[in-house]
Amino acid sequence: MEKFSVTVLGCGSATPGPKHFTSSQVVNVRNKLFMIDCGEGTQIQLRRSRVAFARINHIFISHLHGDHCYGLLGMISSFALLGRTAPLFVHAPWEMWNILSAELDFYCRDLDFKVEFRGFDATKAEVIYIDRSLTVTTIPLKHRVPCAGFLFREEPVPDHLDRQAADFYGVPSCEYDRIKNGGDFTQPDGTVISHDRLTKPAPAPRSYAYCCDTMYNPEMIPQIMNANVLYHDCTYSVQETQNAVKNFHSTSADAANTAREAGAGQLVLGHFSARYNDETVLQNEACGIFPNTILARENLEIDIL
Amino acid sequence: MEKFSVTVLGCGSATPGPKHFTSSQVVNVRNKLFMIDCGEGTQIQLRRSRVAFARINHIFISHLHGDHCYGLLGMISSFALLGRTAPLFVHAPWEMWNILSAELDFYCRDLDFKVEFRGFDATKAEVIYIDRSLTVTTIPLKHRVPCAGFLFREEPVPDHLDRQAADFYGVPSCEYDRIKNGGDFTQPDGTVISHDRLTKPAPAPRSYAYCCDTMYNPEMIPQIMNANVLYHDCTYSVQETQNAVKNFHSTSADAANTAREAGAGQLVLGHFSARYNDETVLQNEACGIFPNTILARENLEIDIL
């Protein structure tokens, strides 16, 4: 199976503390690396992980709270010190451009690579990245400021040709691509050999949904339906529901209900408030609603299966 | 003896790495706390140390390279989250004001405390802080951009009155202050009792010089003369002298020669290049020139004696 995994670099909320770094993670899709969020200290965590710094070409910023973006300038400066020449694409809410460009002008005037800013409107679902094997779409979330989650979805791949069957039915090689992409084969005598008899089905496209920061947001369910893995804001326990609503964050129950309603394969809880010495309480609460729930932690690598 | 100490939060150069955080330290003078420099991750280190976050009221930024200031915005945001109301004074080269004010306007609009910016001209020695017990003066350094060191010097205190001697010679209490500040006492019969017989000398004012980032800079020697402790740029070993000159940094020998010429009490080497797995080589080189040399390390507390 092609590589598709997520490495958590930080999963704490608000301020980097003794237990957790603030939000950042790296998604690996067929060895292309994509960073999501970049809180202060992200580059420290990145060096501690096994993730290859130089292979990150795209950084997606969910929203403009410091715990999700204060590490960006340091990342860019360190890329420069490490001799980067490839362009770096920063995808973020449009509002970031003015301040980021001012910071780059001031602190990073002589970069040997281009920082290409790609703004998006966090209130709408937009395709913001696409290549042969992957699409990244923003997910409008409900937070105090415009905030987008990100849906990483593999592009469907053609079914695999069953060479033995193809030879048996006399399929010429010029027909292979059409058949892999869903076509049937008609023999010279008019007999139709169906697609299913000539191919083995490709694995279903996998998807990963990053939904942070957000309060409970049922409007996004159709968009993240059947995600193999859902990473969801879980700042609070259910006892702190009032705080969650007040601060536009989620409880463990909010996260678990979202996973259940979306038919997710696995739920990963993150963005923990520093008040929890042991986040098992959050996991236990969520498991009561959605059993396949795990806690994020720094350096956790999650395979998207 | 009154408290006067330095806690190193980070002593690496360029980028925060697996071994060292970038530049930051906290000076404690009679339990008032002053931060010098604020690289990315400073607040993480601060929480790991025993330094009380909320008691820092002044931050001094030496120059505007990211490894000395990228942590400032995160510190300010975290002060806000922790409920700070006292003003925070940021002393930095004037050039910082435009970008910092833009960043504060964007990221920190609703602070419950004031960030008071105090710009200085890093090319001149200026007194930038003064209270009853302490003066902080900038030290012009030689770096690629305007850069200031900081000299923390205790204000001289009056000598201690020897109460037994004062009683013996019949000194009235209204004369105490004059005598402690250097005056003699004249008895009613005209006999002069010298200041020295009535007092015990106050300890000499102590001083701490932070000189980073800089290449070898003999022009600052008169200003830091007899500093009890000198923290000096030591990015490279003597083998890398060419790199040191090219990049406007110092070798171990540059640091040690400076300490020797300034008659420092102790030399603390810092701002290490990441190329040294073991910085003992730097210490050994420096000790050949100036024996009382130690290596900085994260969480090291140095008493200024």
Side-chain angles (χ1 to χ4, degrees), chain A residues 29 34 129-136 152-155:
Chain A
V29 183
F34 303 85
Y129 174 86
I130 193 159
D131 68 19
R132 271 170 35 143
S133 50
L134 174 72
T135 302
V136 182
F152 286 68
R153 187 182 291 278
E154 286 181 317
E155 287 291 290

Side-chain angles (χ1 to χ4, degrees), chain A residues 36-299:
Chain A
I36 303 177
D37 281 337
C38 190
E40 180 175 356
T42 291
Q43 62 169 319
I44 299 168
Q45 268 297 89
L46 198 58
R47 279 172 181 275
R48 286 181 187 161
S49 75
R50 292 176 189 175
V51 176
F53 227 86
R55 293 222 328 271
I56 296 171
N57 291 325
H58 292 264
I59 300 179
F60 299 92
I61 302 290
S62 62
H63 67 299
L64 302 177
H65 282 157
D67 56 334
H68 293 253
C69 62
Y70 277 176
L72 183 58
L73 209 54
M75 279 284 294
I76 291 171
S77 300
S78 292
F79 277 134
L81 286 165
L82 296 170
R84 184 185 185 101
T85 54
L88 178 73
F89 293 84
V90 176
H91 308 256
W94 277 111
E95 301 88 308
M96 190 182 213
W97 177 234
N98 277 350
I99 188 67
L100 182 63
S101 63
E103 289 174 322
L104 292 175
D105 278 351
F106 190 82
Y107 286 114
C108 308
R109 230 164 295 174
D110 304 317
L111 294 180
D112 287 328
F113 63 98
K114 276 197 178 170
V115 176
E116 300 269 4
F117 186 78
R118 296 286 182 268
F120 58 75
D121 175 354
T123 65
K124 291 191 276 191
E126 289 180 28
V127 174
I128 55 172
Y129 174 86
I130 193 159
D131 68 19
R132 271 170 35 143
S133 50
L134 174 72
T135 302
V136 182
T137 313
T138 55
I139 306 165
L141 301 179
K142 274 195 186 165
H143 196 44
R144 299 194 297 282
V145 298
C147 180
F150 301 104
L151 181 69
F152 286 68
R153 187 182 291 278
E154 286 181 317
E155 287 291 290
V157 292
D159 289 337
H160 303 303
L161 191 76
D162 180 340
R163 281 296 286 273
Q164 263 190 316
D167 289 349
F168 179 83
Y169 291 109
V171 180
S173 60
C174 60
E175 292 276 26
Y176 287 177
D177 269 356
R178 199 182 54 73
I179 291 167
K180 286 198 284 185
N181 284 294
D184 300 326
F185 174 61
T186 306
Q187 289 178 313
D189 67 357
T191 312
V192 173
I193 311 297
S194 75
H195 169 84
D196 295 350
R197 292 175 74 175
L198 294 165
T199 58
K200 290 179 181 154
R206 295 164 291 173
S207 63
Y208 170 63
Y210 174 89
C211 298
C212 196
D213 295 355
T214 189
M215 64 191 300
Y216 175 64
N217 177 31
E219 288 158 36
M220 74 187 181
I221 303 284
Q223 203 188 341
I224 64 170
M225 192 56 86
N226 299 325
N228 297 69
V229 177
L230 167 65
Y231 179 94
H232 199 285
D233 185 326
C234 176
T235 310
Y236 298 109
S237 84
V238 290
Q239 285 195 317
E240 300 281 341
T241 299
Q242 278 194 317
N243 267 329
V245 172
K246 191 180 86 182
N247 297 321
F248 289 75
H249 282 297
S250 291
T251 66
S252 53
D254 294 332
N257 282 321
T258 304
R260 190 171 49 79
E261 290 156 25
Q266 183 178 44
L267 171 63
V268 183
L269 303 176
H271 202 264
F272 306 123
S273 161
R275 74 193 66 196
Y276 303 107
N277 283 326
D278 179 359
E279 288 114 5
T280 310
V281 57
L282 304 173
Q283 185 179 20
N284 289 343
E285 288 173 352
C287 281
I289 298 166
F290 185 82
N292 192 10
T293 299
I294 62 171
L295 295 169
R297 64 174 189 274
E298 278 68 14
N299 296 323

Side-chain angles (χ1 to χ4, degrees), chain A residues 15 40-41 43 70 77-78 103, chain B residues 15 40-41 43 70 77-78 103:
Chain A
T15 63
E40 180 175 356
Q43 62 169 319
Y70 277 176
S77 300
S78 292
E103 289 174 322
Chain B
T15 63
E40 180 175 355
Q43 62 169 322
Y70 278 175
S77 300
S78 293
E103 290 174 321

Side-chain angles (χ1 to χ4, degrees), chain B residues 219-231:
Chain B
E219 287 158 37
M220 76 187 181
I221 303 286
Q223 204 189 340
I224 64 170
M225 192 55 87
N226 299 323
N228 297 69
V229 176
L230 167 64
Y231 180 95

Side-chain angles (χ1 to χ4, degrees), chain B:
Chain B
M1 194 180 278
E2 298 283 358
K3 181 84 177 168
F4 189 5
S5 70
V6 176
T7 299
V8 176
L9 298 178
C11 55
S13 68
T15 63
K19 196 167 173 207
H20 291 298
F21 279 77
T22 47
S23 293
S24 183
Q25 40 188 257
V26 174
V27 183
N28 180 330
V29 183
R30 302 179 187 206
N31 296 316
K32 286 186 182 172
L33 303 185
F34 304 86
M35 176 170 278
I36 303 177
D37 281 337
C38 191
E40 180 175 355
T42 291
Q43 62 169 322
I44 298 169
Q45 268 297 88
L46 198 59
R47 280 173 181 274
R48 286 182 187 161
S49 74
R50 294 178 187 172
V51 176
F53 226 85
R55 293 224 326 273
I56 296 171
N57 292 324
H58 292 264
I59 300 180
F60 299 92
I61 302 291
S62 63
H63 67 298
L64 303 177
H65 282 158
D67 57 333
H68 293 253
C69 61
Y70 278 175
L72 184 58
L73 209 55
M75 279 284 294
I76 291 171
S77 300
S78 293
F79 276 135
L81 286 165
L82 296 170
R84 184 186 185 101
T85 54
L88 178 73
F89 293 84
V90 176
H91 307 257
W94 277 113
E95 300 88 309
M96 191 182 213
W97 177 235
N98 278 350
I99 188 68
L100 182 63
S101 62
E103 290 174 321
L104 292 175
D105 278 353
F106 189 82
Y107 287 113
C108 308
R109 232 165 292 175
D110 303 317
L111 295 180
D112 287 328
F113 63 96
K114 278 198 176 167
V115 176
E116 301 267 6
F117 186 79
R118 297 286 182 267
F120 58 74
D121 174 354
T123 65
K124 289 190 278 190
E126 289 180 27
V127 174
I128 55 171
Y129 174 85
I130 192 158
D131 69 19
R132 269 167 39 141
S133 50
L134 174 71
T135 303
V136 182
T137 314
T138 54
I139 307 166
L141 302 178
K142 273 193 186 164
H143 196 44
R144 298 194 298 281
V145 297
C147 180
F150 301 105
L151 182 69
F152 285 68
R153 187 182 290 280
E154 287 182 317
E155 288 290 289
V157 292
D159 289 338
H160 302 304
L161 192 75
D162 179 340
R163 283 297 286 273
Q164 262 189 318
D167 289 350
F168 180 82
Y169 291 110
V171 180
S173 60
C174 61
E175 292 275 26
Y176 287 176
D177 269 357
R178 198 180 56 73
I179 290 166
K180 286 198 285 186
N181 283 295
D184 300 326
F185 173 61
T186 306
Q187 288 179 312
D189 67 357
T191 311
V192 173
I193 311 297
S194 75
H195 169 84
D196 294 349
R197 292 175 71 175
L198 294 166
T199 58
K200 289 177 181 155
R206 293 166 291 174
S207 62
Y208 170 62
Y210 174 89
C211 298
C212 195
D213 295 357
T214 189
M215 63 190 300
Y216 174 63
N217 177 30
E219 287 158 37
M220 76 187 181
I221 303 286
Q223 204 189 340
I224 64 170
M225 192 55 87
N226 299 323
N228 297 69
V229 176
L230 167 64
Y231 180 95
H232 198 285
D233 185 325
C234 177
T235 309
Y236 298 109
S237 84
V238 290
Q239 285 193 317
E240 299 281 341
T241 300
Q242 278 193 317
N243 266 329
V245 171
K246 190 181 85 180
N247 297 321
F248 289 76
H249 282 298
S250 291
T251 66
S252 54
D254 293 331
N257 282 321
T258 305
R260 190 172 50 80
E261 289 157 26
Q266 185 178 43
L267 171 63
V268 183
L269 302 177
H271 202 262
F272 307 122
S273 161
R275 75 192 66 196
Y276 303 107
N277 282 326
D278 178 359
E279 288 114 5
T280 309
V281 57
L282 305 174
Q283 185 179 21
N284 289 344
E285 288 173 353
C287 281
I289 297 166
F290 186 82
N292 192 11
T293 299
I294 62 170
L295 295 169
R297 64 174 188 275
E298 278 68 16
N299 296 322
L300 174 69
E301 186 177 349
I302 306 153
D303 284 314
I304 310 298
L305 298 172

